[in-house]
Amino acid sequence: MSGELSPIDKAKFVAAKQATEFVESGMKVGLGTGSTAEWLVQCLGEMVREEGLKIKGVPTSKRTALLAKKVGIDIMTLDEAKWLDLTFDGADEFDENLNLIKGGGGAHLHEKIVATASDRVLVIADASKKVDTLGAFPLPVEVVPFGLSVTQGLIAETLTGMDVLGRDVVLRMKGDQPFVTEEGNFILDLHLKRIGNPRQLSFVINQIPGVVENGLFIDICDVVIVGHGDGRVTTRDITNNAANVIRFDILDDDNIFVDIAD
């Protein structure tokens, strides 16, 4: 489908298009969750249909699995794949060291498992996700429902000793009921404003009984591909500190997937 893109959607689209350059036939590829990752799935599907690309995708959520099937990507489970060549995902925030906050869509547990079972992890994002210091986006923490109030209290108490600016711990809701993850758990969103030591915070939070996993991705991302509304794409590779900039010229009749919504 073609049409006029907003600057933010154009940024996501060009980042996704550049990310496809890392994919080769025969690869097993992790497919993340969220609006930016969905642009990538659409682009890969187009390559499968029109260029004969042969890949196996491992989705991190039911939503991604449905989209992958719809666009023609063969999917498999992580247990079937055992190990992946690449994983593509989005991010809610990333810093200069390519540390991330993820989990705005509630899939960070699956996303972290898939990412750590991959040779390389590539994050695609629009420029607004780049921050000097993580923490403006609430940090998601997946917790088991049993003893929820106790776990919530322990997290709040732990935050008093952490290098953060805010300490509000809020149960994520969906309508009038708690948001439930695909593993049947709840999510507590930590409104921290600034995280001074993400590595320490991630370690300490995960030691609390009742916590399943937090949304800090430390030393996991290898490459970040950042799209801009003017068609520029900036790629940063953490392994060799290489960076480059290219530009996409999107024509009115380009095949653009404007039916993807946030």
Side-chain angles (χ1 to χ4, degrees):
M1 182 183 300
S2 63
E4 186 69 24
L5 290 182
S6 68
I8 191 73
D9 281 337
K10 185 174 181 180
K12 294 176 181 181
F13 173 69
V14 296
K17 288 288 284 186
Q18 178 61 19
T20 63
E21 295 294 320
F22 290 83
V23 181
E24 299 176 4
S25 277
M27 283 185 167
K28 292 179 287 188
V29 180
L31 304 174
T33 297
S35 61
T36 309
E38 287 177 1
W39 283 105
L40 185 278
V41 173
Q42 288 273 20
C43 289
L44 290 176
E46 185 177 52
M47 294 171 68
V48 167
R49 298 189 306 273
E50 299 186 6
E51 301 175 21
L53 178 70
K54 297 185 182 300
I55 59 173
K56 295 286 188 179
V58 175
T60 56
S61 67
K62 293 176 182 176
R63 175 174 169 172
T64 300
L66 289 172
L67 178 59
K69 290 178 182 178
K70 178 181 177 181
V71 301
I73 298 174
D74 290 334
I75 65 171
M76 63 195 314
T77 67
L78 184 58
D79 285 329
E80 291 170 333
K82 299 189 181 351
W83 196 258
L84 306 177
D85 298 288
L86 292 173
T87 284
F88 294 101
D89 214 336
D92 296 303
E93 286 185 345
F94 69 92
D95 66 14
E96 182 66 22
N97 296 315
L98 305 196
N99 295 319
L100 321 169
I101 287 181
K102 291 180 52 56
H108 61 278
L109 173 60
H110 285 190
E111 290 169 336
K112 190 175 284 191
I113 293 171
V114 169
T116 54
S118 306
D119 285 337
R120 301 188 81 194
V121 175
L122 288 80
V123 164
I124 51 177
D126 63 86
S128 69
K129 303 301 171 59
K130 173 69 167 64
V131 296
D132 293 329
T133 304
L134 298 176
F137 191 90
L139 174 64
V141 178
E142 185 161 340
V143 299
V144 297
F146 178 80
L148 172 65
S149 61
V150 173
T151 303
Q152 188 169 1
L154 287 171
I155 291 174
E157 182 179 347
T158 298
L159 290 176
T160 61
M162 296 288 101
D163 184 7
V164 296
L165 286 182
R167 295 180 175 83
D168 291 336
V169 181
V170 180
L171 177 64
R172 185 180 299 184
M173 304 295 289
K174 185 175 183 179
D176 60 355
Q177 297 295 319
F179 176 94
V180 179
T181 71
E182 292 191 7
E183 295 298 325
N185 297 315
F186 295 163
I187 288 181
L188 295 172
D189 287 316
L190 279 51
H191 295 258
L192 307 176
K193 301 181 181 178
R194 182 186 66 83
I195 301 173
N197 190 333
R199 188 184 307 277
Q200 179 191 45
L201 180 64
S202 179
F203 176 81
V204 170
I205 289 294
N206 277 7
Q207 305 312 303
I208 297 173
V211 169
V212 179
E213 187 55 78
N214 71 79
L216 284 166
F217 284 52
I218 310 298
D219 298 332
I220 291 177
C221 176
D222 298 292
V223 178
V224 65
I225 302 170
V226 181
H228 302 263
D230 61 1
R232 286 180 301 120
V233 179
T234 304
T235 302
R236 165 90 184 281
D237 189 328
I238 196 69
T239 57
N240 55 21
N241 204 32
N244 61 34
V245 180
I246 66 170
R247 182 183 294 274
F248 285 88
D249 292 321
I250 301 178
L251 304 177
D252 289 340
D253 59 350
D254 281 344
N255 184 21
I256 298 174
F257 317 106
V258 296
D259 55 340
I260 299 178
D262 287 333

